Amino acid sequence: MCGSVGAFISVGVLAFVCELLTYAGDLEALVNYNTGKSLDVIQVQKRIHNGLDRAVVTSGKVADGAGHVCDKSASELAGFEDLAVYASGELLAFSSDHSYMKFELGSDFRGKIKALHEAKPQVSLHTLLAGRVEPVVISGLPPDFELFPHGLAAYGAIARDAADRTADSSTEDALLLVVNHRSTTDALELFRVGPGGRQVQHLKTLTHKLITNLNDCVFITAREFYCTNWRSSTPGSFLDFLELYTRRPWGSLIRCVTDASGDGGVACATAATGLRMPNGIEVSADLQTVVVVTSLSKDLVVYDRDPSTGSLVLNRRVCLNMACDNLTWDNTKREGEVLERRPNLLCAGHPKALHFGLYYSKAPRHRRSPCEVVRITLDQSRTMGPTCSDREDSQGSCRAMGQRQDNGSRTVDTVETLFMDADGSLLSACTVAAFDSYVDEDTAGSQRNLWIGSLYDNGLVR
């Protein structure tokens, strides 16, 4: 018995050392960035990174061809980890303290949440639109309610005002689904979003035995959604350590339906397994493709979804070569009052994953970590078959960025850097990026802002 345990630990230590070498190779390609300070022209340096031309943008510039310079909003607030993107163009974002999420081997994850709740941390919700960050009133929560928000999911379009909602009674309510890490177990909080996004009303708390270590969710309908269980064991435990630092494929996706038979007002079932830290998740406009980031294997997993059953079948994996976090759709075209959902995804994350995990996250108030936002353009041919498996190492990790040879039997997916803060001086360790969209009152033209948030850092980059 002792020999078996010793062998198991030895294998784990060996795998961890291999991971250090693997990450070191990835980091080496990301150390020499252009640090020019010109505000007139976007400074872009083309680098070859594992087979793909990658635009590396000077800290504080956005590669949109217009020379836009970024600045900071809501700097007095911290922890805008995720953004909920609505079809009407608004974004909703929680600001909260995520200090309990720091990995500490042997720590009591739920105990840290309880202690933080007793300290009464500030948790606030905000609407982002037209360059403004506006407070949102939260109603319907019981006294002394534990609310530690993480991933957010948006459903529907937010009514402009009460009269707009009354005029079209057939329109469904806009909803907000919030991953909530409580001191007892994880749960999902469902809110109704009021006109203008100025108020949300808590409707109910959803619990289920499969809702264990959630990260993010995505709506399919007002009653159906998928969520990522990003870790299989309690954070801080020895098994959690092994899962993180030996990159075990122990994460999963679950599919849930509310107002159905099941405990906590929701029925859930496992939809996919074998994932290395599944993180951000999204669904295509036709509801036939589900995409999920797997942060430890640095790729985007694409599933075909059966609309009649909700079952998922693996289609392909798109290599990213960075530890992406949350996903949003790059909604670039407005059709009347609703945005068209194009096949472009935005993903924010960590080009130096090991630096983030082992150094920055231990003291995020005193250290900095790089931030990168990539745009992923998915091929729409729906060609079946792997795009990463023939280029994986023994650990199942993608070794090339998401571009494929178009030989008639493969898809062509592309990945490009949209924003890079190479030293984290503007925003450290970003976790989400999304565009708002609105009609400018002066020009009557469609406008938008790119918003970028972070797990620990103060403010939002715009």
Side-chain angles (χ1 to χ4, degrees):
M1 177 65 178
C2 291
S4 300
V5 173
F8 180 69
I9 294 176
S10 298
V11 170
V13 171
L14 179 61
F16 178 50
V17 171
C18 291
E19 284 306 295
L20 291 178
L21 298 176
T22 297
Y23 277 118
D26 290 341
L27 297 179
E28 184 179 1
L30 290 163
V31 293
N32 295 316
Y33 290 122
N34 188 330
T35 57
K37 301 300 181 182
S38 171
L39 300 182
D40 299 323
V41 181
I42 295 176
Q43 303 293 318
V44 179
Q45 176 188 17
K46 287 288 188 179
R47 296 179 57 83
I48 303 297
H49 185 74
N50 288 333
L52 178 68
D53 279 342
R54 199 175 191 190
V56 179
V57 185
T58 302
S59 176
K61 315 292 191 302
V62 179
D64 60 1
H68 294 160
V69 178
C70 300
D71 57 17
K72 210 72 171 288
S73 299
S75 296
E76 72 281 7
L77 301 171
F80 291 98
E81 195 275 340
D82 198 7
L83 300 171
V85 184
Y86 287 87
S88 44
E90 299 92 344
L91 311 180
L92 288 185
F94 271 100
S95 167
S96 63
D97 187 343
H98 296 102
S99 59
Y100 62 92
M101 297 186 70
K102 292 187 293 185
F103 179 84
E104 296 169 319
L105 182 60
S107 63
D108 181 1
F109 178 69
R110 302 294 174 184
K112 288 192 293 184
I113 294 174
K114 182 178 180 180
L116 188 58
H117 175 67
E118 292 173 349
K120 300 187 182 304
Q122 179 181 4
V123 178
S124 56
L125 183 61
H126 304 268
T127 300
L128 316 180
L129 188 67
R132 300 188 301 272
V133 180
E134 303 288 350
V136 177
V137 176
I138 304 174
S139 64
L141 291 177
D144 200 33
F145 187 81
E146 284 188 338
L147 181 61
F148 291 90
H150 192 174
L152 310 176
Y155 180 79
I158 298 175
R160 289 171 295 180
D161 49 45
D164 181 40
R165 173 64 68 194
T166 304
D168 187 2
S169 58
S170 64
T171 303
E172 290 186 284
D173 289 329
L175 300 175
L176 175 66
L177 190 64
V178 181
V179 171
N180 186 14
H181 299 300
R182 305 181 301 176
S183 62
T184 52
T185 184
D186 280 5
L188 290 166
E189 311 299 340
L190 185 63
F191 295 86
R192 179 189 294 116
V193 183
R198 295 181 291 272
Q199 181 175 1
V200 299
Q201 179 187 7
H202 185 253
L203 299 178
K204 55 184 170 181
T205 297
L206 305 173
T207 61
H208 191 274
K209 63 182 180 181
L210 293 180
I211 296 176
T212 53
N213 290 310
L214 294 189
N215 185 294
D216 197 19
C217 299
V218 63
F219 278 104
I220 302 299
T221 68
R223 292 184 51 237
E224 180 185 356
F225 52 87
Y226 293 85
C227 295
T228 55
N229 270 317
W230 65 323
R231 287 142 89 165
S232 63
S233 301
T234 302
S237 66
F238 181 68
L239 285 177
D240 184 52
F241 168 80
L242 288 180
E243 183 171 0
L244 289 180
Y245 292 106
T246 67
R247 296 192 305 142
R248 297 302 88 199
W250 296 343
S252 63
L253 303 183
I254 61 174
R255 173 179 175 264
C256 299
V257 179
T258 60
D259 297 325
S261 59
D263 53 314
V266 61
C268 299
T270 301
T273 58
L275 300 171
R276 291 177 170 84
M277 189 180 279
N279 203 319
I281 185 171
E282 277 292 351
V283 64
S284 60
D286 62 7
L287 306 181
Q288 295 186 41
T289 302
V290 171
V291 289
V292 60
V293 165
T294 50
S295 298
L296 291 182
S297 52
K298 302 180 184 179
D299 59 11
L300 180 77
V301 183
V302 182
Y303 292 97
D304 292 324
R305 176 179 176 272
D306 185 334
S308 62
T309 65
S311 62
L312 303 179
V313 176
L314 178 64
N315 181 297
R316 64 188 186 275
R317 297 167 64 210
V318 181
C319 303
L320 304 175
N321 269 349
M322 64 171 287
C324 275
D325 201 305
N326 289 297
L327 283 173
T328 62
W329 289 104
D330 178 8
N331 296 318
T332 57
K333 183 179 179 182
R334 177 174 287 276
E335 294 291 345
E337 293 300 319
V338 179
L339 302 181
E340 178 183 342
R341 189 179 298 180
R342 291 191 169 185
N344 302 326
L345 289 156
L346 298 183
C347 189
H350 317 293
K352 295 185 177 182
L354 195 62
H355 178 89
F356 167 77
L358 293 183
Y359 177 75
Y360 167 76
S361 65
K362 306 302 181 185
R365 292 299 175 191
H366 306 286
R367 300 170 181 174
R368 311 303 291 174
S369 187
C371 157
E372 183 175 9
V373 178
V374 299
R375 177 190 281 126
I376 307 161
T377 302
L378 297 179
D379 187 287
Q380 296 299 289
S381 63
R382 298 193 181 280
T383 304
M384 289 293 291
T387 61
C388 256
S389 60
D390 56 344
R391 294 181 296 171
E392 292 175 356
D393 63 9
S394 60
Q395 295 294 319
S397 178
C398 293
R399 289 286 158 248
M401 298 286 284
Q403 180 168 286
R404 292 297 305 172
Q405 298 295 322
D406 187 3
N407 58 12
S409 62
R410 304 284 183 143
T411 56
V412 179
D413 304 297
T414 60
V415 179
E416 59 180 333
T417 296
L418 184 66
F419 172 89
M420 172 69 78
D421 186 348
D423 58 7
S425 58
L426 183 63
L427 186 70
S428 195
C430 58
T431 54
V432 65
F435 283 106
D436 67 10
S437 182
Y438 60 98
V439 176
D440 186 271
E441 294 180 356
D442 295 327
T443 66
S446 181
Q447 303 290 332
R448 63 183 191 153
N449 294 284
L450 175 66
W451 298 86
I452 306 173
S454 169
L455 177 67
Y456 296 119
D457 207 0
N458 281 64
L460 290 150
V461 165
R462 179 179 63 86

